[in-house]
Amino acid sequence: MRYLRMDRSVRDAVSLLAQPDVDAIVVIDGGRPEDGSIVGIVTERDIFRAMATGGLEILDGLVWMITKTDFVSVDVTMPRAERLAQFCTHRTDQIAIMDGFALKSVQSIWDCVAAACPDPGPA
């Protein structure tokens, strides 16, 4: 899970999202993830949508301005099949996995599908 302070640029978020296995960034208000409060989640899709309406200038704006603050969250104990249903119900591609008020991870729909589908093995 990657974190980015809310006062950083969208360009900084793009750099983090370009790294392998980073599907979403948790945007925080604070200096460190342990001390900061969660502002929301930002994904590549959020950045593309912002650029479609605001142009390339959005890259120099602050990341909190395009952050989703109304992200979907589920309890860490929720079974995978129910998690998968939440993606469809809320029409989202990322959900926050919570343990009470603590954020444990951000899961993409593809992570959930891969975990729910057994590997068929070699063809």
Side-chain angles (χ1 to χ4, degrees), residues 71-110:
F71 56 91
V72 177
S73 63
V74 299
D75 189 75
V76 70
T77 61
M78 181 180 278
R80 286 193 177 119
E82 290 180 35
R83 284 186 196 175
L84 190 54
Q86 293 299 308
F87 286 105
C88 298
T89 299
H90 296 284
R91 300 180 62 92
T92 187
D93 56 352
Q94 305 285 336
I95 58 173
I97 310 300
M98 307 291 289
D99 187 1
F101 290 110
L103 177 65
K104 290 300 180 185
S105 67
V106 176
Q107 186 175 35
S108 83
I109 191 169
W110 302 113

Side-chain angles (χ1 to χ4, degrees), residues 8-65:
R8 301 298 299 264
S9 72
V10 174
R11 192 175 304 275
D12 293 331
V14 169
S15 294
L16 281 175
L17 287 165
Q19 295 178 5
D21 298 326
V22 179
D23 296 324
I25 299 169
V26 179
V27 179
I28 60 167
D29 181 7
R32 299 179 310 161
E34 308 84 46
D35 301 332
S37 59
I38 298 171
V39 174
I41 297 173
V42 69
T43 65
E44 288 178 344
R45 179 178 280 179
D46 299 321
I47 294 170
F48 290 137
R49 285 182 179 157
M51 286 177 22
T53 58
L56 292 176
E57 296 82 30
I58 200 73
L59 293 173
D60 295 318
L62 297 176
V63 71
W64 73 266
M65 297 182 75

